Amino acid sequence: MNSSTLSNAVKPLAIVILAAGKGSRMRSPLPKVMHKLAGKPMINWLLDSCAALNPDKIIVVAAPDMDDVAAAAAPHDVVFQTQQNGTADAVKPALPLLAGFDGQVLILMGDEPLIPLDALRQMIAHDGLSALVFNTPHPHGLGRVLLNVDGSLQNIIEEKDCDAHQKLITLCNAGTYCVPARQLKPWLEGIGNNNAQGEYYLTDMPKIAAAQGFSTHTFTIEWTQSWGVNTRVQLAAHEAMAQNILRERHLNAGVWMQDPSTVYLWHDTKIGEHCRLEPNVYFGARVVLESGVNVKAFSHLEDAHVGANSTLGPFARLRPGAEIGEDVKIGNFVEVKKSTVGDRVKLSHFAYVGDADIGEDTNFGCGAITVNYDGFNKHRTMIGKNVMIGSNVNLIAPIEIHDGAFIAAGSTITDNAPQDALVIARSKSEVREGWAAKFRKLKNNTKEKRKAS
C-alpha cells in the first residue's frame, strides 16, 4: 500500500457489483456468479461481505435474462447490461441509481467472491481513486499495474495492449475500484475503446483521475484472494479457499478437527463448542451440532440437528429432517431420515430409521429397520420410551410401539405393541435329527452316478 491521506469523515457508500458474466467457459447454463462455494452462490458471498461495510445502497449489474441473479441479489437494486462492451460499459447501467449520490462508490467483480474485508475497508477510508492489486508469478492474461516513483497508481494496461517490457511486470489488477461518486460518470464518459479488444475498460480510470489531479492509491492483497472465477478449475480452487475460511472459523470457535483438510462444511453449518470431528466428515445444508457432539470418521450429515454430547458414526448418515436428542449414540452404518430420536437412544449399528419418532432411552438393535414406504406412500413409526427393539426387526409402518415394550429379535411387526409387552413375530424353529447327513449322502451318490456315466 502506498502512502495516502485517510478520510476523517465517514462518507456515504454505494457498491456496484458487476455480475453479468455468463458461465460459458465453465460450460454451464448458470450465470457465472450463481455457481456455488460451500453451497452458497458466489454473488451471495460477495453480498454478505458488502453488508459488513454498511453501505447506503448496493446495485447489482446483471444480464437481462438473469432472473436467478436478480432473485439472489434481492432486496438490493438490480440493473441490466444489454450488451457486453467491457467493464466500464458494465458500470453505466448503475449510473441512474447513483444520480445525486455524494460519497464513495466501490466497484466489485461478481466473480471475485473472497476479497478480504480489511482491504475493502482500507479502500473506502481513503480519498481519491483506489484500486486493489496483487503480485503473482503467473501474470498471464492479467492487466499490469504501473506505479509512479512515489508509489501512486499511474496506469493499468490490459495484457493484450502491453509491450514486451510491460508483460514482465508481476503487479496485476484485481478489478476492484473505489472512486468519488461525483467523478464516476465523467470518468466513465472519458474512457475510450482504443485498445486491442475494442472495449471500454475501467482500467483507464486511474490515468484519467491522475490527469485531473486526483490522488490514486493501490492496496495490495494476496493473489489467491483476487482471482476471478472463469473456469471449473478456478471454481474448485475457490471452493478450497472457502473451505479453509470456514474451517478456520470453526476451529477458532472451539471445534476440534483431527484433520481439518478432510472436513467439508456448508456455508451455514453451525457447530457448538467442544465438538469433535474426525477425518472425512461431510456437512450438507442446514446442519446444527450442539456442544460436545462427537462425529466420527466418514459420516455424512445434511439438514439435521444433533443434541449436545451425542456421538455419530463412523459411517453414519443423517438425512434431511433428522432431529437427534442429547447423549444419543448413532453408530456405524446407521441412517436416519425425517425422524425424531429422543435423549439417550442407542442406534448402534446397521439400522435404518425413516419417518419415525423414538422416545427416550430406547435401544434400536443391529439390522433393525422402520419399513416406512409401501410403494406409494410414506407412513410413520411411533416408538415410545425405554423400548427394546431387537436385532433384525422389521417395523411395518404405520405402527406404534408403546413405552417399555420388548420386540424380539428377528420379528416382523405389523400390529401395535402394548406397553411393557413382549412381542414375538417369527416362525418357530424345527429340528430334524440326521437330516443333513442323509441329504449330503443323497447328493454325493447323485454326483458319483453322473461321473460314472
Side-chain angles (χ1 to χ4, degrees), residues 44-89:
N44 293 107
W45 278 85
L46 201 51
L47 286 169
D48 287 349
S49 294
C50 291
L53 299 173
N54 298 312
D56 294 85
K57 61 176 66 182
I58 296 175
I59 304 167
V60 175
V61 181
D65 57 345
M66 293 181 177
D67 293 339
D68 45 359
V69 175
H76 303 295
D77 291 315
V78 178
V79 295
F80 298 101
Q81 180 186 6
T82 56
Q83 56 184 359
Q84 295 189 354
N85 284 326
T87 51
D89 187 66

Side-chain angles (χ1 to χ4, degrees), residues 130-315:
S130 57
L132 284 186
V133 299
F134 61 95
N135 278 291
T136 174
H138 307 290
H140 177 70
L142 302 171
R144 305 306 202 274
V145 175
L146 280 65
L147 300 180
N148 294 309
V149 176
D150 63 358
S152 61
L153 176 57
Q154 178 192 117
N155 198 6
I156 301 173
I157 305 176
E158 296 293 337
E159 184 178 66
K160 290 185 177 181
D161 299 306
C162 288
D163 59 31
H165 175 72
Q166 291 166 340
K167 287 182 179 180
L168 299 177
I169 296 172
T170 58
L171 186 65
C172 297
N173 175 39
T176 298
Y177 307 90
C178 191
V179 302
R182 289 184 176 182
Q183 300 305 129
L184 180 59
K185 183 178 180 180
W187 285 352
L188 290 177
E189 291 174 345
I191 294 175
N193 65 344
N194 185 23
N195 53 63
Q197 293 289 92
E199 294 186 347
Y200 300 88
Y201 291 133
L202 286 173
T203 50
D204 287 349
M205 274 201 309
K207 182 171 59 177
I208 295 173
Q212 295 179 5
F214 285 86
S215 59
T216 55
H217 318 294
T218 59
F219 296 91
T220 303
I221 58 176
E222 296 293 328
W223 69 271
T224 53
Q225 299 170 323
S226 60
W227 270 20
V229 177
N230 293 300
T231 66
R232 295 283 186 180
V233 172
Q234 292 168 340
L235 182 67
H238 276 71
E239 175 70 28
M241 288 190 289
Q243 287 297 326
N244 284 332
I245 290 170
L246 295 172
R247 290 165 188 152
E248 184 173 335
R249 184 180 303 168
H250 287 293
L251 288 165
N252 289 334
V255 177
W256 178 89
M257 299 182 195
Q258 187 172 9
D259 186 355
S261 66
T262 66
V263 175
Y264 287 85
L265 299 155
W266 211 254
H267 70 95
D268 62 356
T269 303
K270 294 180 174 60
I271 306 176
E273 291 183 343
H274 315 303
C275 288
R276 297 174 59 85
L277 307 179
E278 293 185 5
N280 297 294
V281 173
Y282 181 88
F283 290 90
R286 299 177 298 279
V287 175
V288 178
L289 304 186
E290 302 294 348
S291 63
V293 172
N294 184 13
V295 184
K296 296 188 176 182
F298 295 98
S299 294
H300 186 287
L301 297 77
E302 54 182 324
D303 195 7
H305 180 273
V306 183
N309 303 314
S310 292
T311 299
L312 310 176
F315 295 97

